Amino acid sequence: MQIERLAEQSGGFGCYLLMAHEWADPEATRRSYDLFARYVMPRFQNSSTRLQASERWSAAIQAPLDAAQAQALKEWTEKHAAEKAAKAAVAVV
């Protein structure tokens, strides 16, 4: 990324200025600023570190949690079916 190269070359800097012109479509300019604020600034402000760690952790445990949930749903579905069959059998007698 260009900003990383600039930081490495300069030894770091405290401010990055964006130059604006009114030549571009205003909506496209706002979109550009929004993307910069969401994805670029947090990376250099170190405010996304915990979020990225959480995302990695969530991705790592998703499959086991999905499997556990599927197993629990299967067990409760079978238990419900058994209880329903038992009640039906008692009602017939």
Side-chain angles (χ1 to χ4, degrees):
M1 174 184 274
Q2 179 62 27
I3 298 175
E4 288 174 335
R5 286 190 293 272
L6 290 172
E8 287 175 18
Q9 289 173 357
S10 67
F13 49 87
C15 183
Y16 185 82
L17 300 176
L18 299 173
M19 193 161 109
H21 295 285
E22 293 184 9
W23 304 336
D25 174 59
E27 186 56 37
T29 301
R30 280 190 289 279
R31 175 86 173 126
S32 177
Y33 290 158
D34 179 55
L35 292 171
F36 191 84
R38 284 185 190 203
Y39 300 104
V40 178
M41 290 173 59
R43 182 171 179 172
F44 291 95
Q45 294 170 335
N46 203 27
S47 59
S48 63
T49 304
R50 290 186 312 170
L51 180 60
Q52 290 169 343
S54 176
E55 183 179 26
R56 285 190 300 275
W57 176 79
S58 296
I61 67 163
Q62 181 178 359
L65 289 177
D66 287 346
Q69 180 183 27
Q71 182 63 32
L73 287 170
K74 180 181 179 233
E75 290 172 8
W76 280 100
T77 301
E78 290 170 355
K79 179 180 177 186
H80 174 72
E83 289 174 355
K84 190 174 177 181
K87 285 182 185 178
V90 169
V92 172
V93 176

